[in-house]
Amino acid sequence: MMWSWIPNNWSLIWQLTRENAYLGVVPALIGLVISLPIGIVAARWRWIYPPVLTVVNIAYAIPSLALFIALIPAFGLTDTTVIIALTVFSLCVILPNVVAGLRAVPAPVTQAATAMGYGPLRRLATVELPLAVPVILAGLRVGVVASISLASVGQLIGVSSLGYLFIDGLQRSFPTEIYVGLFLVIVLALACDLILVGVKRALTPWAARPERKQRRQRLRQLTEATP
């Protein structure tokens, strides 16, 4: 490990990290935007979901590099090629969570909202989606982490990312670049995951209360048990 290489190439490292973050986060967000309406429809009309899930699973089985290459004739060696491919893979992870989250909303809750005069759209926006947020964000977290990892593969078709450090380090037999690239991919994935955890807590403050109550009860039990 040549530590002096890092400060001497900091501008390159920072540029590649930003590009990898862009290629990883944008497809997952686009996948979420696409998954929400499809997931809502699939949750409402259950017969739609099996064929949709079949298509999603087939798409997820396609190797990422093969999908990149298949998109090159239409979009060229650009960020768009990688973003479209990673959006497809994000859909495969996020969409099932959207459906699962909406289906997990307790029936008595939706029935109570209907009894209070909530229409389908208002009930969806103010009751069902908020309750489904934890499950949906769990899928988004997996989608973001997977996209950040797969974004490095885009370097094989000439799209700049942290994959440059892997390829250049391998070609020059310089493991320092490989270690730095691996470390940055892991840190980037962890940082994005922590941000999404914070978003989840901000959007669902009611979900954290039972956890805090359980911790306080457990602490009280341990204190009382201590002689």
Side-chain angles (χ1 to χ4, degrees), residues 99 143 152-154 184 217 224 227:
V99 177
S152 60
V153 181
L184 289 175
Q217 290 176 346
E224 294 174 351

Side-chain angles (χ1 to χ4, degrees), residues 1 31 36 69-70 94 101 110 122 149 199 207 212 220:
M1 183 71 181
L36 282 174
I69 295 173
I94 300 172
T110 57
R122 184 184 178 190
S149 176
V199 171
R212 289 197 296 266
R220 189 181 301 112

Side-chain angles (χ1 to χ4, degrees), residues 53-74:
L53 185 60
T54 300
V55 173
V56 163
N57 289 335
I58 292 174
Y60 198 63
I62 302 174
S64 57
L65 184 57
L67 187 55
F68 291 159
I69 295 173
L71 293 172
I72 288 176

Side-chain angles (χ1 to χ4, degrees), residues 2-202:
M2 186 178 295
W3 296 102
S4 60
W5 180 86
I6 298 176
N8 293 335
N9 294 272
W10 179 248
S11 60
L12 173 64
I13 293 172
W14 175 242
Q15 176 187 347
L16 295 175
T17 302
R18 286 189 291 108
E19 291 169 343
N20 204 105
Y22 170 76
L23 293 174
V25 173
V26 170
L29 294 179
I30 296 174
L32 176 62
V33 172
I34 298 173
S35 295
L36 282 174
I38 299 176
I40 291 170
V41 172
R44 285 289 182 274
W45 294 280
R46 293 177 178 267
W47 62 269
I48 295 178
Y49 187 50
V52 170
L53 185 60
T54 300
V55 173
V56 163
N57 289 335
I58 292 174
Y60 198 63
I62 302 174
S64 57
L65 184 57
L67 187 55
F68 291 159
I69 295 173
L71 293 172
I72 288 176
F75 302 100
L77 301 175
T78 63
D79 291 354
T80 304
T81 298
V82 176
I83 288 174
I84 292 175
L86 295 185
T87 298
V88 172
F89 291 130
S90 296
L91 277 170
C92 303
V93 176
I94 300 172
L95 179 58
N97 279 63
V98 173
V99 177
L102 291 172
R103 288 183 175 178
V105 176
V109 174
T110 57
Q111 292 168 0
T114 302
M116 293 173 63
Y118 282 47
L121 185 59
R122 184 184 178 190
R123 188 182 64 226
L124 173 68
T126 60
V127 178
E128 296 177 37
L129 280 177
L131 290 176
V133 161
V135 179
I136 294 174
L137 283 183
L140 181 61
R141 288 171 62 187
V142 176
V144 169
V145 171
S147 293
I148 288 174
S149 176
L150 289 174
S152 60
V153 181
Q155 186 65 49
L156 294 174
I157 62 171
V159 178
S160 183
S161 66
L162 287 172
Y164 171 84
L165 299 178
F166 301 140
I167 296 174
D168 192 62
L170 181 63
Q171 291 176 341
R172 297 198 296 139
S173 297
F174 187 50
T176 297
E177 285 187 275
I178 299 175
Y179 297 148
V180 170
L182 180 62
F183 175 77
L184 289 175
V185 168
I186 294 173
V187 169
L188 193 57
L190 287 175
C192 291
D193 190 61
L194 289 175
I195 290 173
L196 289 175
V197 169
V199 171
K200 174 191 170 184
R201 291 183 177 179

